[in-house]
Amino acid sequence: MDLVNYAMNHVWLIPLFPLVSFALIAFVFFKMPKVSATISISAILLSFATALLVGYGVIQHGGFVEDPLQYTIKWFQVGSLKMELGVRLDGMTAMMLFVVTLVASMVNIYSLGYMHGDRSFSRFFAFLSLFAMSMLGLVIAPNLLQMYVFWELVGLCSYLLIGFWYHRYSAREAAKKAFITTRTGDFGLLLGILAIQVHFGTLDFAQLSHVININNAPAYLFGILLVLFLGPIGKSGQFPLHVWLPDAMEGPTPVSALIHAATMVVAGVYLTGRMLFAFQAVPSAMLMVAIVGGFTALFAATIAITQVEMKKILAYSTVSQLGYMMLALGAGSLSSSMFHLMTHAFFKALMFLGAGSVLHAMHDEANIWKYGGLRKKMPITAYTFLVGCLAIAGIFPFAGFFSKDQIIEAVYKMSSMDGGTGAFAGIYTILFWVAVITAGLTAFYMFRMFFICFTGEEKPENHPHESPKTMTFPLLLLAVLSLVGGLVGFPGLKEGVAFGSFVRLGEFEMVHANAFLITLTTVVALAGIGLAMAIYWKKAISHEAIAEKFKPIYNVLYHKYYIDEIYLWLINNVLDGLGKVLYWFDIHVIDGIIDGIAAIARFLGGSMRKAETGKLQNYGLVMFLAVVVIAIILYLAGDNTSSTAAAFLLGGGK
Amino acid sequence: MIGLNHFLILAGALFCIGMFGALSKRNAIAILMGIELMLNSVNINLVAFSRFVTPKVLTGQIFAIFVIVVAAAEVAVGLALIFAIYRNRVSVNVEDFDWLKW
Amino acid sequence: MNEVVFYILAAIIVIAGLLVVSLRNIVHSALFMVLAFIGVAGIYVMLGADFLASVQILVYAGAIAIFMVFGIMLTQRGNMQQTNLFSKQAGVTGVVSLGLFGLIVFLTSKTDWIKSTESINKDTIPTIADAMMSTYVVPFEVAALLLTVAMIGAIIIAKGVNKSQ
């Protein structure tokens, strides 16, 4: 018990261990790769153990939902502006700590095998530790400022890790693209934070939740939230700032698993979840979140059905699932969104690590059409991957089934089908069907990938082999979690046991099984799997024929709706054009003013120098002329009877 | 009666004539002549004031003597300068001496 | 009697002065300048400054005027009729001179000069000598120094600098 209490009061130790690890690796043990790896793995396992203790303590306290445990130190104070650093501990925090440390530990262990022999081995582990520290610091943040600081730090780590193999041009470009795109979103986030500080005087989550509620939401709150939401759009890869996520696959696969599947990209969802009380105060803001999420989910799913690289398919799948999480938040359900976040972390990390295993075996050949029948030589990878696919497709009793169902149920409740009478019920109905269709598409493209890679005939030029134990152990652990991780959200669980009692906004709602929805989603998922089976396993329908028949649609989807090309066109023409206009303005107008002033000086000088004739007689004449003129003026200016001043000028007089 | 004013007006006229000559003639020596006329007008002023304001002490006359001394010295040096310029430039036309021009 | 003399002398001076500045032949100008000096000497006598009148004739008419003529002789070139022309700014200068003269006349006539009623000093030379050696001895010595310096300076300037030095 004492250990648990100690852990709960010292939650800041959890990010501290990876920070110390980073410092040690970067400054002391850089030349010793094995020592670096050991330090990094030990640090993250220590954090994981502490997170488990903290989680246990939080469950004991009923989730800290109503009164979170919060302790801070004062960072700086300027007038009435007070900035604090510290910890906010509630159910959501504990869940995130558990997930982040778990996946980070798995990735650290996996990297031992995957990055073996890489010449920048130590640097990799240093960056992994730095990232772990940043993400954990973000998760425990009690106010928007600390969250923003660590938000930027995770962005930095993402840049460093995507461009890890910096000698590759595509990796460098992808790193820049990631950083710049998220930076664009972060600008909006910063504006939102500043606006909140100015209008509400505080950035602390607890204080803000007291100040902002649905009864006294000011009119400008929608604007603030709109701008603030740009940050999550960028960081969590929502449309239109999703373009960096697929390119981020240039980084090593453990990085993709850790950052771009399970942890960093969910930072946007996490922030929106933390601020959900503010979004709930403005129903139109909630609708905006839901629309962005729902659209992104469908959008990414349609792209994913045509992609030919394993990691790209998984990346678009991540974007799609993040859309689901946003949709859940937009429908007002924090529990289902966070639940899906947790289960998604498990099965998506699992599948990414599985993809890494395949890439390792196929010597970095990425095109899935070059694979085939891999399950014979790589059984562990294949069957854990199957677990992941079943989980994401939402098949009972795997984890994804429960979480996805809860999201669809949340949207269903807001729609007009369930008798919802909110202002936007009709739109929520549309979003509901969008979610259902996307579920089918998800099952389809996931199993398409599975069947192409792991079933069918082996190609003779491949020599696959199963991966070492350091890589298969995390796969197995995550597969187990993908199987049983959803059971905490089983319908009918009571308060104190169900996931929804520890992570919620508002009153605890017990999960009820809705027969209509369960059947609908299962049917749709099975239809997706069946179609994939028909085309890619049994080869009953030729995929090339379908691609030919729907060629224009296929091209648009394959080229990702040409979004990258559109952005490039915008940047080259609109942005550069604006730059050229401003450049012209700078050169001609502003410099023109300066040059004009100089030209005036030159002109004045040029004309006034003509007074210097060099002839003494001219100077003398001017002098005497001046004397006469001044004398007259002085005489006229004074009173007429006395001419004293003028007389003095000429000399003499009374 | 010839009063102070007559002498003063006479001196003023001579001064203006001298100034006119000094500022409007081309020959350098003519300018010197104009300056001499101006100095003479000053002397007339001094002596007139001495006669009408302090007749006993004759301060003005002594002052006038010193003016004559200075005028003599000035003419000497001035003509030496004109010689020096004339030797180099072969001209005493002051309109040619404009090396301080822009 | 006094007035007639004054007006004659004044006419001589003014007319001579005008001729000095307006003749085109510079030798003629020099000669009329001598005439102007003599007229001024006469004015001095009218004012009771007899010593000063002698000094005027001796120095001005006798030395300075000759000096001018020497100068003309040594720097004369070309046509004698063209030696003393007006410059381009003669017109403006004339206006300014007239203005100045008008100003002087106006102001002096307006001013209330303080005049003394003592009688004239008839022993000018003893008075001047006494004053020169007692009250004004310093300016006297300085004047002597000035003349020496001027002489030396004039010699050096007129001698010129030898190019080989």
Side-chain angles (χ1 to χ4, degrees), chain A residues 578-632:
Chain A
L578 187 64
K580 287 197 182 82
V581 166
L582 289 174
Y583 178 71
W584 178 91
F585 185 77
D586 184 42
I587 292 288
H588 287 101
V589 176
I590 297 187
D591 279 2
I593 293 175
I594 306 292
D595 290 348
I597 294 176
I600 291 176
R602 205 164 41 236
F603 167 73
L604 280 178
S607 40
M608 292 223 270
R609 70 174 175 169
K610 303 237 167 73
E612 311 229 337
T613 56
K615 294 180 191 150
L616 208 53
Q617 290 183 314
N618 294 350
Y619 301 159
L621 177 63
V622 170
M623 195 170 74
F624 279 107
L625 183 62
V627 165
V628 172
V629 169
I630 291 176
I632 293 177

Short mmCIF file of all heavy atoms in Angstrom, two decimals, chain A residues 578-632:
data_model
loop_
_atom_site.label_atom_id
_atom_site.label_comp_id
_atom_site.label_asym_id
_atom_site.label_seq_id
_atom_site.Cartn_x
_atom_site.Cartn_y
_atom_site.Cartn_z
N LEU A 578 2.18 34.95 -53.22
CA LEU A 578 2.07 35.97 -52.17
C LEU A 578 3.44 36.49 -51.78
O LEU A 578 3.65 37.69 -51.59
CB LEU A 578 1.36 35.35 -50.96
CG LEU A 578 1.03 36.31 -49.84
CD1 LEU A 578 0.03 37.32 -50.32
CD2 LEU A 578 0.47 35.55 -48.66
N GLY A 579 4.38 35.54 -51.71
CA GLY A 579 5.74 35.96 -51.38
C GLY A 579 6.30 36.91 -52.42
O GLY A 579 6.95 37.90 -52.10
N LYS A 580 6.01 36.60 -53.68
CA LYS A 580 6.53 37.49 -54.73
C LYS A 580 5.89 38.87 -54.64
O LYS A 580 6.56 39.89 -54.84
CB LYS A 580 6.26 36.87 -56.11
CG LYS A 580 7.15 35.69 -56.41
CD LYS A 580 7.14 35.40 -57.92
CE LYS A 580 7.98 34.19 -58.22
NZ LYS A 580 7.29 32.92 -58.00
N VAL A 581 4.58 38.89 -54.34
CA VAL A 581 3.92 40.18 -54.23
C VAL A 581 4.53 41.00 -53.12
O VAL A 581 4.88 42.17 -53.27
CB VAL A 581 2.40 39.98 -53.98
CG1 VAL A 581 1.76 41.27 -53.54
CG2 VAL A 581 1.73 39.47 -55.22
N LEU A 582 4.71 40.36 -51.98
CA LEU A 582 5.29 41.07 -50.85
C LEU A 582 6.71 41.49 -51.14
O LEU A 582 7.15 42.56 -50.71
CB LEU A 582 5.23 40.19 -49.61
CG LEU A 582 3.83 39.99 -49.06
CD1 LEU A 582 3.84 39.00 -47.92
CD2 LEU A 582 3.25 41.30 -48.61
N TYR A 583 7.44 40.64 -51.88
CA TYR A 583 8.81 41.00 -52.23
C TYR A 583 8.81 42.25 -53.10
O TYR A 583 9.60 43.17 -52.90
CB TYR A 583 9.48 39.83 -52.96
CG TYR A 583 10.87 40.12 -53.42
CD1 TYR A 583 11.90 40.23 -52.50
CD2 TYR A 583 11.17 40.27 -54.76
CE1 TYR A 583 13.19 40.50 -52.91
CE2 TYR A 583 12.45 40.54 -55.18
CZ TYR A 583 13.47 40.64 -54.26
OH TYR A 583 14.72 40.90 -54.66
N TRP A 584 7.87 42.26 -54.09
CA TRP A 584 7.79 43.43 -54.96
C TRP A 584 7.49 44.67 -54.12
O TRP A 584 8.07 45.74 -54.30
CB TRP A 584 6.69 43.22 -56.00
CG TRP A 584 6.50 44.38 -56.91
CD1 TRP A 584 7.10 44.63 -58.09
CD2 TRP A 584 5.65 45.52 -56.66
NE1 TRP A 584 6.69 45.81 -58.61
CE2 TRP A 584 5.80 46.38 -57.76
CE3 TRP A 584 4.79 45.88 -55.63
CZ2 TRP A 584 5.11 47.58 -57.85
CZ3 TRP A 584 4.11 47.08 -55.73
CH2 TRP A 584 4.28 47.91 -56.84
N PHE A 585 6.55 44.49 -53.17
CA PHE A 585 6.18 45.61 -52.30
C PHE A 585 7.38 46.10 -51.51
O PHE A 585 7.63 47.30 -51.40
CB PHE A 585 5.06 45.15 -51.35
CG PHE A 585 4.52 46.23 -50.49
CD1 PHE A 585 3.65 47.16 -50.99
CD2 PHE A 585 4.87 46.32 -49.14
CE1 PHE A 585 3.14 48.17 -50.20
CE2 PHE A 585 4.37 47.32 -48.35
CZ PHE A 585 3.50 48.23 -48.88
N ASP A 586 8.15 45.13 -51.00
CA ASP A 586 9.29 45.51 -50.19
C ASP A 586 10.32 46.27 -51.03
O ASP A 586 10.84 47.30 -50.63
CB ASP A 586 9.93 44.24 -49.61
CG ASP A 586 11.08 44.59 -48.68
OD1 ASP A 586 10.94 45.53 -47.90
OD2 ASP A 586 12.10 43.90 -48.75
N ILE A 587 10.57 45.75 -52.24
CA ILE A 587 11.62 46.38 -53.04
C ILE A 587 11.17 47.74 -53.54
O ILE A 587 11.91 48.71 -53.50
CB ILE A 587 11.98 45.47 -54.25
CG1 ILE A 587 12.65 44.21 -53.75
CG2 ILE A 587 12.86 46.21 -55.20
CD1 ILE A 587 14.03 44.42 -53.26
N HIS A 588 9.91 47.79 -54.01
CA HIS A 588 9.55 49.04 -54.69
C HIS A 588 8.93 50.07 -53.77
O HIS A 588 9.21 51.24 -53.89
CB HIS A 588 8.58 48.73 -55.85
CG HIS A 588 9.29 48.07 -56.98
ND1 HIS A 588 9.24 46.72 -57.20
CD2 HIS A 588 10.10 48.56 -57.91
CE1 HIS A 588 9.99 46.43 -58.24
NE2 HIS A 588 10.52 47.52 -58.70
N VAL A 589 8.08 49.64 -52.89
CA VAL A 589 7.40 50.65 -52.08
C VAL A 589 8.27 51.04 -50.88
O VAL A 589 8.60 52.20 -50.69
CB VAL A 589 6.03 50.12 -51.61
CG1 VAL A 589 5.39 51.11 -50.69
CG2 VAL A 589 5.17 49.86 -52.80
N ILE A 590 8.67 50.07 -50.11
CA ILE A 590 9.39 50.40 -48.89
C ILE A 590 10.79 50.93 -49.22
O ILE A 590 11.21 51.98 -48.74
CB ILE A 590 9.45 49.17 -47.98
CG1 ILE A 590 8.04 48.80 -47.59
CG2 ILE A 590 10.32 49.45 -46.79
CD1 ILE A 590 7.94 47.72 -46.58
N ASP A 591 11.49 50.17 -50.06
CA ASP A 591 12.80 50.69 -50.45
C ASP A 591 12.66 51.97 -51.23
O ASP A 591 13.53 52.84 -51.19
CB ASP A 591 13.55 49.64 -51.29
CG ASP A 591 14.20 48.60 -50.40
OD1 ASP A 591 14.03 48.70 -49.18
OD2 ASP A 591 14.88 47.70 -50.93
N GLY A 592 11.54 52.07 -51.97
CA GLY A 592 11.31 53.29 -52.72
C GLY A 592 11.19 54.51 -51.81
O GLY A 592 11.72 55.57 -52.10
N ILE A 593 10.52 54.29 -50.68
CA ILE A 593 10.41 55.40 -49.74
C ILE A 593 11.78 55.81 -49.22
O ILE A 593 12.14 56.99 -49.18
CB ILE A 593 9.49 55.01 -48.57
CG1 ILE A 593 8.06 54.84 -49.07
CG2 ILE A 593 9.54 56.05 -47.48
CD1 ILE A 593 7.12 54.34 -48.01
N ILE A 594 12.56 54.78 -48.83
CA ILE A 594 13.90 55.10 -48.31
C ILE A 594 14.73 55.78 -49.39
O ILE A 594 15.37 56.82 -49.16
CB ILE A 594 14.59 53.80 -47.87
CG1 ILE A 594 13.71 53.05 -46.88
CG2 ILE A 594 15.93 54.11 -47.29
CD1 ILE A 594 13.57 53.74 -45.58
N ASP A 595 14.71 55.16 -50.59
CA ASP A 595 15.50 55.77 -51.67
C ASP A 595 14.98 57.15 -52.01
O ASP A 595 15.76 58.03 -52.39
CB ASP A 595 15.43 54.87 -52.92
CG ASP A 595 16.21 53.58 -52.71
OD1 ASP A 595 16.94 53.51 -51.72
OD2 ASP A 595 16.05 52.68 -53.53
N GLY A 596 13.65 57.31 -51.88
CA GLY A 596 13.08 58.62 -52.17
C GLY A 596 13.59 59.67 -51.20
O GLY A 596 13.94 60.79 -51.59
N ILE A 597 13.66 59.30 -49.93
CA ILE A 597 14.18 60.27 -48.96
C ILE A 597 15.62 60.62 -49.29
O ILE A 597 16.04 61.79 -49.25
CB ILE A 597 14.08 59.68 -47.55
CG1 ILE A 597 12.61 59.53 -47.17
CG2 ILE A 597 14.79 60.56 -46.55
CD1 ILE A 597 12.40 58.88 -45.84
N ALA A 598 16.39 59.59 -49.66
CA ALA A 598 17.78 59.87 -50.02
C ALA A 598 17.83 60.74 -51.28
O ALA A 598 18.67 61.64 -51.39
CB ALA A 598 18.51 58.56 -50.27
N ALA A 599 16.91 60.47 -52.21
CA ALA A 599 16.92 61.27 -53.44
C ALA A 599 16.58 62.72 -53.14
O ALA A 599 17.13 63.64 -53.76
CB ALA A 599 15.93 60.68 -54.45
N ILE A 600 15.66 62.91 -52.18
CA ILE A 600 15.34 64.30 -51.80
C ILE A 600 16.57 64.99 -51.24
O ILE A 600 16.89 66.13 -51.59
CB ILE A 600 14.20 64.32 -50.77
CG1 ILE A 600 12.90 63.86 -51.43
CG2 ILE A 600 14.03 65.70 -50.19
CD1 ILE A 600 11.76 63.75 -50.47
N ALA A 601 17.29 64.27 -50.37
CA ALA A 601 18.49 64.87 -49.78
C ALA A 601 19.49 65.20 -50.87
O ALA A 601 20.10 66.28 -50.87
CB ALA A 601 19.10 63.92 -48.77
N ARG A 602 19.63 64.26 -51.82
CA ARG A 602 20.58 64.49 -52.90
C ARG A 602 20.16 65.70 -53.73
O ARG A 602 20.99 66.53 -54.10
CB ARG A 602 20.63 63.25 -53.80
CG ARG A 602 21.93 63.14 -54.53
CD ARG A 602 22.17 61.77 -55.11
NE ARG A 602 20.98 61.18 -55.69
CZ ARG A 602 20.49 60.02 -55.33
NH1 ARG A 602 21.08 59.33 -54.39
NH2 ARG A 602 19.41 59.54 -55.90
N PHE A 603 18.84 65.80 -54.01
CA PHE A 603 18.36 66.91 -54.82
C PHE A 603 18.60 68.23 -54.11
O PHE A 603 19.07 69.21 -54.70
CB PHE A 603 16.86 66.72 -55.11
CG PHE A 603 16.21 67.93 -55.67
CD1 PHE A 603 16.44 68.34 -56.95
CD2 PHE A 603 15.36 68.70 -54.88
CE1 PHE A 603 15.85 69.46 -57.47
CE2 PHE A 603 14.76 69.82 -55.39
CZ PHE A 603 15.00 70.20 -56.69
N LEU A 604 18.25 68.26 -52.80
CA LEU A 604 18.44 69.50 -52.06
C LEU A 604 19.91 69.90 -52.04
O LEU A 604 20.26 71.06 -52.26
CB LEU A 604 17.95 69.32 -50.61
CG LEU A 604 16.45 69.43 -50.43
CD1 LEU A 604 16.09 69.18 -48.98
CD2 LEU A 604 16.00 70.81 -50.84
N GLY A 605 20.75 68.92 -51.79
CA GLY A 605 22.19 69.22 -51.79
C GLY A 605 22.63 69.74 -53.14
O GLY A 605 23.37 70.71 -53.24
N GLY A 606 22.13 69.07 -54.19
CA GLY A 606 22.55 69.46 -55.53
C GLY A 606 22.14 70.87 -55.87
O GLY A 606 22.85 71.59 -56.56
N SER A 607 20.96 71.25 -55.38
CA SER A 607 20.55 72.60 -55.75
C SER A 607 21.15 73.66 -54.84
O SER A 607 21.42 74.76 -55.28
CB SER A 607 19.03 72.72 -55.74
OG SER A 607 18.52 72.01 -54.65
N MET A 608 21.43 73.29 -53.58
CA MET A 608 21.92 74.33 -52.67
C MET A 608 23.40 74.57 -52.83
O MET A 608 23.91 75.60 -52.40
CB MET A 608 21.59 73.95 -51.23
CG MET A 608 20.13 73.99 -51.01
SD MET A 608 19.70 74.76 -49.47
CE MET A 608 19.69 73.39 -48.43
N ARG A 609 24.11 73.60 -53.46
CA ARG A 609 25.54 73.84 -53.56
C ARG A 609 25.83 74.94 -54.57
O ARG A 609 26.93 75.47 -54.62
CB ARG A 609 26.23 72.56 -53.99
CG ARG A 609 25.90 72.22 -55.41
CD ARG A 609 26.68 71.06 -55.89
NE ARG A 609 26.21 70.73 -57.23
CZ ARG A 609 26.83 69.89 -58.02
NH1 ARG A 609 27.90 69.29 -57.62
NH2 ARG A 609 26.36 69.64 -59.22
N LYS A 610 24.79 75.26 -55.39
CA LYS A 610 25.04 76.31 -56.37
C LYS A 610 25.27 77.66 -55.71
O LYS A 610 25.72 78.59 -56.35
CB LYS A 610 23.85 76.40 -57.33
CG LYS A 610 23.58 75.07 -58.02
CD LYS A 610 23.61 75.22 -59.51
CE LYS A 610 23.67 73.88 -60.17
NZ LYS A 610 22.47 73.12 -60.15
N ALA A 611 24.92 77.77 -54.41
CA ALA A 611 25.16 79.03 -53.71
C ALA A 611 26.64 79.25 -53.42
O ALA A 611 27.03 80.34 -53.06
CB ALA A 611 24.38 79.05 -52.41
N GLU A 612 27.45 78.16 -53.57
CA GLU A 612 28.87 78.33 -53.27
C GLU A 612 29.58 78.63 -54.57
O GLU A 612 30.10 77.74 -55.23
CB GLU A 612 29.44 77.04 -52.70
CG GLU A 612 28.64 76.46 -51.60
CD GLU A 612 29.52 76.13 -50.42
OE1 GLU A 612 30.71 75.95 -50.62
OE2 GLU A 612 28.96 76.05 -49.32
N THR A 613 29.59 79.90 -54.95
CA THR A 613 30.21 80.22 -56.23
C THR A 613 31.71 80.32 -56.13
O THR A 613 32.40 80.28 -57.12
CB THR A 613 29.70 81.58 -56.72
OG1 THR A 613 29.97 82.52 -55.69
CG2 THR A 613 28.22 81.51 -56.98
N GLY A 614 32.23 80.44 -54.91
CA GLY A 614 33.68 80.58 -54.77
C GLY A 614 34.13 82.00 -54.95
O GLY A 614 35.31 82.30 -54.78
N LYS A 615 33.20 82.89 -55.29
CA LYS A 615 33.61 84.28 -55.51
C LYS A 615 33.31 85.08 -54.26
O LYS A 615 32.17 85.13 -53.79
CB LYS A 615 32.84 84.86 -56.68
CG LYS A 615 33.21 84.17 -57.97
CD LYS A 615 32.44 84.74 -59.14
CE LYS A 615 32.65 83.85 -60.32
NZ LYS A 615 31.56 83.82 -61.23
N LEU A 616 34.31 85.71 -53.77
CA LEU A 616 34.21 86.43 -52.51
C LEU A 616 33.19 87.55 -52.60
O LEU A 616 32.49 87.87 -51.64
CB LEU A 616 35.58 87.00 -52.15
CG LEU A 616 35.86 87.17 -50.67
CD1 LEU A 616 35.59 85.89 -49.94
CD2 LEU A 616 37.28 87.61 -50.49
N GLN A 617 33.11 88.17 -53.78
CA GLN A 617 32.23 89.32 -53.90
C GLN A 617 30.78 88.91 -53.71
O GLN A 617 29.98 89.67 -53.14
CB GLN A 617 32.41 89.96 -55.28
CG GLN A 617 33.76 90.63 -55.42
CD GLN A 617 33.89 91.32 -56.74
OE1 GLN A 617 33.55 90.75 -57.77
NE2 GLN A 617 34.37 92.53 -56.73
N ASN A 618 30.43 87.69 -54.15
CA ASN A 618 29.06 87.23 -53.94
C ASN A 618 28.77 87.08 -52.45
O ASN A 618 27.71 87.47 -51.97
CB ASN A 618 28.85 85.87 -54.61
CG ASN A 618 28.95 85.99 -56.12
OD1 ASN A 618 28.98 87.10 -56.64
ND2 ASN A 618 28.99 84.88 -56.80
N TYR A 619 29.73 86.52 -51.75
CA TYR A 619 29.51 86.32 -50.31
C TYR A 619 29.36 87.66 -49.60
O TYR A 619 28.50 87.84 -48.75
CB TYR A 619 30.69 85.56 -49.69
CG TYR A 619 30.93 84.20 -50.31
CD1 TYR A 619 32.17 83.59 -50.18
CD2 TYR A 619 29.94 83.53 -51.01
CE1 TYR A 619 32.41 82.35 -50.72
CE2 TYR A 619 30.18 82.30 -51.57
CZ TYR A 619 31.41 81.72 -51.42
OH TYR A 619 31.64 80.49 -51.97
N GLY A 620 30.23 88.62 -50.00
CA GLY A 620 30.16 89.93 -49.37
C GLY A 620 28.84 90.61 -49.64
O GLY A 620 28.23 91.22 -48.75
N LEU A 621 28.37 90.46 -50.87
CA LEU A 621 27.11 91.09 -51.22
C LEU A 621 25.97 90.54 -50.40
O LEU A 621 25.13 91.29 -49.87
CB LEU A 621 26.83 90.86 -52.72
CG LEU A 621 25.49 91.41 -53.19
CD1 LEU A 621 25.44 92.91 -53.02
CD2 LEU A 621 25.24 91.04 -54.63
N VAL A 622 25.97 89.22 -50.28
CA VAL A 622 24.91 88.60 -49.48
C VAL A 622 24.95 89.09 -48.05
O VAL A 622 23.91 89.36 -47.43
CB VAL A 622 25.04 87.06 -49.53
CG1 VAL A 622 24.13 86.40 -48.53
CG2 VAL A 622 24.73 86.56 -50.92
N MET A 623 26.18 89.26 -47.54
CA MET A 623 26.30 89.69 -46.14
C MET A 623 25.71 91.08 -45.96
O MET A 623 24.92 91.33 -45.04
CB MET A 623 27.77 89.68 -45.76
CG MET A 623 28.00 89.74 -44.29
SD MET A 623 29.71 89.43 -43.90
CE MET A 623 30.41 90.97 -44.42
N PHE A 624 26.08 91.98 -46.83
CA PHE A 624 25.57 93.34 -46.67
C PHE A 624 24.09 93.41 -46.92
O PHE A 624 23.36 94.17 -46.26
CB PHE A 624 26.31 94.29 -47.63
CG PHE A 624 27.63 94.70 -47.07
CD1 PHE A 624 28.81 94.22 -47.58
CD2 PHE A 624 27.68 95.57 -45.99
CE1 PHE A 624 30.03 94.60 -47.05
CE2 PHE A 624 28.88 95.95 -45.46
CZ PHE A 624 30.07 95.48 -45.98
N LEU A 625 23.63 92.62 -47.86
CA LEU A 625 22.19 92.56 -48.10
C LEU A 625 21.46 92.12 -46.85
O LEU A 625 20.42 92.69 -46.48
CB LEU A 625 21.93 91.59 -49.25
CG LEU A 625 20.47 91.44 -49.69
CD1 LEU A 625 19.95 92.76 -50.19
CD2 LEU A 625 20.36 90.40 -50.77
N ALA A 626 22.07 91.12 -46.19
CA ALA A 626 21.45 90.63 -44.96
C ALA A 626 21.41 91.72 -43.91
O ALA A 626 20.42 91.86 -43.17
CB ALA A 626 22.23 89.43 -44.44
N VAL A 627 22.49 92.47 -43.82
CA VAL A 627 22.53 93.55 -42.81
C VAL A 627 21.38 94.52 -43.05
O VAL A 627 20.65 94.90 -42.13
CB VAL A 627 23.88 94.28 -42.88
CG1 VAL A 627 23.80 95.58 -42.13
CG2 VAL A 627 24.96 93.39 -42.31
N VAL A 628 21.23 94.92 -44.32
CA VAL A 628 20.17 95.89 -44.63
C VAL A 628 18.81 95.32 -44.27
O VAL A 628 17.99 95.96 -43.60
CB VAL A 628 20.22 96.26 -46.12
CG1 VAL A 628 19.03 97.09 -46.50
CG2 VAL A 628 21.50 97.01 -46.44
N VAL A 629 18.59 94.08 -44.68
CA VAL A 629 17.28 93.48 -44.45
C VAL A 629 16.99 93.34 -42.97
O VAL A 629 15.90 93.68 -42.49
CB VAL A 629 17.22 92.09 -45.15
CG1 VAL A 629 15.99 91.33 -44.71
CG2 VAL A 629 17.20 92.28 -46.65
N ILE A 630 17.98 92.89 -42.22
CA ILE A 630 17.75 92.68 -40.78
C ILE A 630 17.51 94.00 -40.09
O ILE A 630 16.63 94.12 -39.21
CB ILE A 630 18.94 91.93 -40.15
CG1 ILE A 630 18.96 90.49 -40.68
CG2 ILE A 630 18.85 91.93 -38.66
CD1 ILE A 630 20.12 89.70 -40.19
N ALA A 631 18.26 95.01 -40.52
CA ALA A 631 18.07 96.30 -39.89
C ALA A 631 16.65 96.81 -40.12
O ALA A 631 15.99 97.30 -39.21
CB ALA A 631 19.10 97.30 -40.43
N ILE A 632 16.18 96.63 -41.35
CA ILE A 632 14.81 97.10 -41.64
C ILE A 632 13.81 96.33 -40.80
O ILE A 632 12.89 96.91 -40.20
CB ILE A 632 14.50 96.93 -43.14
CG1 ILE A 632 15.37 97.86 -43.96
CG2 ILE A 632 13.04 97.16 -43.40
CD1 ILE A 632 15.18 97.71 -45.44
#
